[in-house]
Amino acid sequence: MHTKRLTITYVALAAALLGLFALNLFWGSVAISPRGVVQALLGRGQDELAANILLQLRLPRVVMVVLLGAALSVAGYLLQTFFANPIAGPFVMGISSGAKLVVALTMVVFLNHGLLTNSLTLILAAFAGSMAAMAFVLSVARRVHRMSILVICGVMIGYICSAVTDIVVAFAQDSNIVNLHNWSMGSFSGMTWGNVAAAALVVLPCLAAAFLLAKPMAAYQMGEQYAQSVGVAVRPFCVALVLLSSLLAACVTAFAGPISFVGIAVPHLVKQALGSAKPLHVLPGCALGGAAFCLLCDLIARSLFAPTELSISSVTAVFGAPVVIWLLVHRQSGEGRA
């Protein structure tokens, strides 16, 4: 019965992902029929404008949304496993904001000197920022044992980094402020095949590494002592979780800016749908669910008030924040009954 539920959930997530992927390709300010999409993908289309829009604008954007959505959801699940708390996530813990700050600094310095930032530079800057924020959170975790205080500290570091980022953006040249502002609010627009290739080189190996850690992750969920008793090297394992979650979150921030609530909401919804908390079951679900969720939010962001495009974080917050509120209320109710 449980295997049947897992299969149905995976099939539903995959179907949602494929359906939203297709919908994102032909839905937009310039309508392209499903037949036109297929012809353009096969190189048989007669409409060059439609083919360019599809192959150079929409397709790289959609592929990037899938990659980064999966990355953000899995990063959130890794952090939740590490901190043993369902409301831990890159955005809440301040990791995305730390990455955002260092990337903004790098972009402003490069742009003000007439230099262009490449994908590697942005990823390295974001990783440095995310690791700095994570180091702060870990230093607080050693001094406090209440997760609520740790979360509050993460939120505060996020506010500080966001405030400093706004100050940094204010010093950008006028011609660069719009692009920097759009990026700092979160957006999948302007993705290129070069961006997709760079993101794939980071995200796919990290996702593969996370799947390989599924077995020790399951042991770690039972407690550090249990994990050690079954042969898990806890310290290297924890370092791997921190590095993988930070690198995945950094890659998302480098290309799309900070995106809120995906890393918290999607893993929880996936666990509820699967009826399982086993990493071997949840990780593929998180990858599929995160990609589908971000495809839906991106479609809404660029279509709801077209031609005006909303920031992706505004849409993800509308759907994700209620899940976080429910988590907090449910967690408090559970503690009250205990």
Side-chain angles (χ1 to χ4, degrees):
M1 186 67 181
H2 184 62
T3 303
K4 183 178 180 181
R5 180 174 179 176
L6 290 175
T7 303
I8 292 173
T9 303
Y10 288 142
V11 170
L13 288 172
L17 175 59
L18 291 174
L20 288 166
F21 191 97
L23 192 60
N24 272 269
L25 289 181
F26 65 77
W27 190 297
S29 56
V30 177
I32 304 176
S33 66
R35 182 181 179 182
V37 169
V38 173
Q39 288 179 337
L41 292 176
L42 296 175
R44 299 174 182 173
Q46 301 298 317
D47 190 340
E48 291 187 10
L49 176 60
N52 285 332
I53 290 174
L54 179 69
L55 298 177
Q56 302 303 321
L57 296 177
R58 292 186 188 172
L59 189 57
R61 176 172 180 155
V62 173
V63 174
M64 196 67 155
V65 172
V66 170
L67 281 172
L68 299 187
L72 200 53
S73 179
V74 170
Y77 181 68
L78 295 179
L79 287 173
Q80 289 167 17
T81 300
F82 178 72
F83 288 109
N85 193 286
I87 61 172
F91 190 80
V92 169
M93 303 308 292
I95 297 170
S96 294
S97 297
K100 169 185 171 183
L101 171 58
V102 179
V103 170
L105 280 169
T106 303
M107 291 175 71
V108 168
V109 170
F110 272 61
L111 292 173
N112 284 349
H113 286 82
L115 302 173
L116 296 177
T117 53
N118 57 36
S119 298
L120 178 61
T121 302
L122 294 180
I123 292 173
L124 291 175
F127 183 64
S130 65
M131 288 303 297
M134 177 62 90
F136 172 82
V137 172
L138 292 176
S139 66
V140 173
R142 292 176 182 175
R143 291 174 170 80
V144 300
H145 300 287
R146 292 181 60 187
M147 188 63 192
S148 58
I149 297 176
L150 187 61
V151 170
I152 291 171
C153 289
V155 172
M156 291 302 104
I157 193 66
Y159 276 119
I160 293 170
C161 290
S162 293
V164 176
T165 302
D166 291 339
I167 295 172
V168 169
V169 171
F171 285 93
Q173 295 178 1
D174 291 343
S175 59
N176 298 321
I177 287 177
V178 173
N179 290 333
L180 277 171
H181 179 72
N182 290 340
W183 169 85
S184 68
M185 296 299 292
S187 174
F188 289 116
S189 64
M191 298 299 176
T192 65
W193 286 114
N195 296 147
V196 172
L201 288 174
V202 176
V203 171
L204 296 181
C206 286
L207 292 180
F211 293 142
L212 292 176
L213 290 176
K215 188 174 180 179
M217 212 180 297
Y220 184 79
Q221 288 177 339
M222 304 296 290
E224 287 190 17
Q225 291 184 345
Y226 177 81
Q228 288 176 337
S229 70
V230 295
V232 177
V234 173
R235 181 174 289 273
F237 171 75
C238 290
V239 171
L241 284 187
V242 169
L243 289 176
L244 286 174
S245 58
S246 298
L247 193 53
L248 287 170
C251 188
V252 175
T253 306
F255 290 108
I259 300 176
S260 59
F261 295 106
V262 177
I264 303 176
V266 173
H268 178 72
L269 293 174
V270 167
K271 284 186 283 187
Q272 290 292 315
L274 293 172
S276 172
K278 293 182 179 180
L280 194 61
H281 298 156
V282 177
L283 282 168
C286 282
L288 291 171
F293 182 76
C294 285
L295 281 173
L296 173 63
C297 291
D298 189 49
L299 182 64
I300 294 172
R302 65 183 179 84
S303 302
L304 188 60
F305 298 108
T308 301
E309 183 172 324
L310 302 174
S311 72
I312 189 66
S313 280
S314 299
V315 183
T316 56
V318 169
F319 292 104
V323 176
V324 177
I325 293 171
W326 185 87
L327 269 173
L328 292 172
V329 173
H330 181 72
R331 183 180 177 85
Q332 186 63 39
S333 299
E335 290 176 354
R337 287 193 297 270

